Amino acid sequence: MSAIVGATTSRRSFLVGAAGLLATVRLPRASADSPKPARQFTLTAAKGRASLVGKAHPETDVWCYDGGVPGPLIRARQGEPIRIVVENSLGEDTTVHWHGIRLPIAMDGVPGISQPSIASGQRFTYEFTAPDAGTFWYHPHADSLQQLGRGMAGAFIVDEPQPIAVDRDVLWMLTDWRLTAEAQIASGFGNSMALARIMALRFEGHRPLIIAIDGQPCDPHVPDGGRLLLGPAMRVDFVLDMLGEPGGRYRVVDDFYDGLAYWLTKLAYDDKPPLRAHSLDPPLALPRNPLPEPDLTTAQRHELRLQGGMMGGGAMAGMGGMSNMSHAIWAINGSSMTGDGQTGMAPLLTLQLGRSYVLTLRNDTAWWHPMHLHGHSFRVLSRNGQSVPFWQGSDTVLVPPKEAVDIAFVADNPGDWMLHCHVTDHQVSGMMAVLRIA
Ligand code: C2O
Ligand code: CU
């Protein structure tokens, strides 16, 4: 299962860490045309078949958007309205969540909390204007273990008005599949490795320069050890200077798990001489998005303890009185919201509209948790009390076992917003809560 990015010169790549190994080469950007009223898309959710492991193997039964895995790339422009009609032909309820896009609550796609779910045979029109340029993605927020696990997800790119100059713009959407010998999805969702893989990508002979995290531009930097660390739902925009030898092959290795390193793909150069003798020298910093900066002097602080798991570290005390606990394995501050969100469950915190907040996400468990907040992008302030070395915006932050991450944001978007681990298995079994902004 390898995907070759046959690149002579690729300057900017995008990675979406969702959980297979799929590479989509993005077409060149259309030249800037005049602004249009609303871009229209239709997405049809349905069961289908997709070739995941090549022609020598049978096709895989999947659930998908528009018949493909991943779903179609949706491209919008920053500050311009977009309308997406979702047709549900799945045979069960669904919704679509536009992960990372700051939009009104009614468009957030959480069934029972932000909208009624879309019944099979029905349609729902999502309309919003993305304030931020960047790499986002979309996926269902109903029956998530099945729907996301069986392939429903796609990339959503919001173009900045003035993109940086690169020779090629490539999108990688990385998904982890557990398949049988017949190339069918192995049963047993909830297996701790499915939809949970964390990747640490090393580029032999190359240095990835990160320019945005979760769609939010950051100070361009080479990550620690030159490795791109990606948990489920996380995205990184990076620039890769292709300075390898003509005809050269360079492996991209994922060595996150000790002793389980494998190569994901190879960067393959053709035999022609390089496009140019010297690398381009364009400004690589992307313009910041209009994200309000939290006021740290007046911010109210809260600690959120991530609890549970079967491997120890689980402080499950205080959960005795909870209803609907049958599948609760995980909790946040002793409270477990399960499934795709329970209506009528009290919010874990009520935040005041317009106020700044600092949340300490303290991981009491022995597992990694990519924690996602809906409706906002937050600033990652520190890890274990140590400031992060550069300005970093995010919507999904990876919290290692026994560590604490401080995040800050302005509660500027009214509504009931989900905060949950993006390991679907953890989400549906309790590591989820609602933050109410009123
Ligand atoms: Cu990708 Cu609740 O989100
Ligand atoms: Cu988790």
Side-chain angles (χ1 to χ4, degrees):
M1 292 212 303
S2 69
I4 294 187
V5 181
T8 44
T9 310
S10 169
R11 301 272 314 189
R12 180 181 182 188
S13 298
F14 294 88
L15 274 182
V16 180
L21 315 178
L22 297 160
T24 310
V25 177
R26 286 167 61 177
L27 299 170
R29 291 165 190 271
S31 59
D33 40 12
S34 50
K36 303 216 178 68
R39 290 193 180 203
Q40 292 249 28
F41 293 85
T42 306
L43 271 185
T44 305
K47 293 175 181 154
R49 289 175 72 76
S51 174
L52 296 183
V53 279
K55 298 259 181 305
H57 300 271
E59 291 189 318
T60 307
D61 290 318
V62 292
W63 296 9
C64 51
Y65 293 112
D66 288 8
V69 171
L73 167 64
I74 296 180
R75 256 187 130 129
R77 287 172 64 172
Q78 185 173 21
E80 291 181 15
I82 183 165
R83 178 180 303 133
I84 308 152
V85 180
V86 175
E87 302 242 13
N88 182 6
S89 303
L90 206 56
E92 65 172 44
D93 288 6
T94 195
T95 58
V96 183
H97 171 57
W98 314 96
H99 183 119
I101 299 179
R102 299 188 291 132
L103 39 63
I105 187 71
M107 297 292 123
D108 196 46
V110 179
I113 289 180
S114 66
Q115 68 168 100
S117 41
I118 314 167
S120 191
Q122 303 291 306
R123 54 166 68 181
F124 185 88
T125 303
Y126 291 93
E127 284 183 288
F128 53 86
T129 299
D132 302 327
T135 304
F136 304 99
W137 67 297
Y138 61 94
H139 62 81
H141 223 288
D143 190 10
S144 298
L145 215 46
Q146 294 272 351
Q147 294 187 12
L148 191 51
R150 294 189 183 280
M152 296 173 73
F156 192 125
I157 290 174
V158 182
D159 286 307
E160 53 275 315
Q162 210 83 71
I164 59 169
V166 293
D167 293 314
R168 275 177 68 179
D169 204 351
V170 178
L171 169 70
W172 285 2
M173 186 152 173
L174 306 174
T175 312
D176 194 22
W177 296 92
R178 253 174 92 234
L179 301 178
T180 64
E182 294 73 45
Q184 296 311 304
I185 296 171
S187 58
F189 285 98
N191 176 292
S192 59
M193 284 294 284
L195 293 171
R197 183 182 290 280
I198 296 167
M199 296 181 179
L201 303 185
R202 248 182 337 104
F203 293 76
E204 278 181 355
H206 294 76
R207 280 156 51 94
L209 185 75
I210 296 181
I211 55 171
I213 296 173
D214 288 351
Q216 299 298 339
C218 59
D219 302 329
H221 65 283
V222 177
D224 263 359
R227 300 198 313 174
L228 295 183
L229 189 62
L230 284 164
M234 296 167 62
R235 291 90 61 212
V236 165
D237 286 29
F238 64 99
V239 176
L240 206 59
D241 233 341
M242 304 300 280
L243 302 173
E245 296 296 318
R249 298 286 182 275
Y250 300 86
R251 294 183 308 176
V252 178
V253 176
D254 170 12
D255 59 4
F256 179 77
Y257 297 99
D258 278 343
L260 295 175
Y262 64 96
W263 58 273
L264 178 73
T265 189
K266 282 180 187 163
L267 305 175
Y269 286 77
D270 66 21
D271 296 325
K272 299 197 196 90
L275 270 188
R276 57 180 63 80
H278 303 285
S279 43
L280 287 169
D281 200 17
L284 293 174
L286 294 164
R288 284 279 168 82
N289 282 319
L291 198 62
E293 187 65 25
D295 179 351
L296 299 178
T297 57
T298 61
Q300 200 179 81
R301 293 175 177 264
H302 292 277
E303 186 172 72
L304 298 179
R305 302 190 82 110
L306 314 179
Q307 303 158 328
M310 291 171 291
M311 299 284 284
M316 300 297 281
M319 294 174 52
M322 305 291 305
S323 60
N324 206 351
M325 293 297 296
S326 47
H327 303 295
I329 299 170
W330 305 93
I332 303 176
N333 286 359
S335 161
S336 301
M337 179 178 256
T338 56
D340 291 286
Q342 293 153 236
T343 44
M345 191 159 164
L348 187 66
L349 294 174
T350 299
L351 311 182
Q352 206 183 313
L353 186 63
R355 176 144 199 199
S356 295
Y357 288 86
V358 174
L359 304 182
T360 300
L361 304 172
R362 188 174 298 284
N363 185 352
D364 290 340
T365 80
W367 298 73
W368 292 70
H369 302 291
M371 298 301 296
H372 171 48
L373 174 63
H374 285 211
H376 300 78
S377 283
F378 46 78
R379 205 180 132 186
V380 181
L381 294 178
S382 62
R383 291 181 174 271
N384 305 313
Q386 284 214 294
S387 304
V388 298
F390 52 89
W391 189 97
Q392 185 189 334
S394 252
D395 55 60
T396 309
V397 67
L398 200 52
V399 190
K402 310 293 179 193
E403 294 194 11
V405 177
D406 279 13
I407 63 171
F409 63 100
V410 180
D412 62 346
N413 201 355
D416 279 1
W417 300 103
M418 309 300 288
L419 170 76
H420 63 84
C421 176
H422 224 290
V423 173
T424 320
D425 184 18
H426 299 178
Q427 173 201 331
V428 301
S429 54
M431 196 168 284
M432 176 160 58
V434 162
L435 305 188
R436 175 167 294 166
I437 298 177

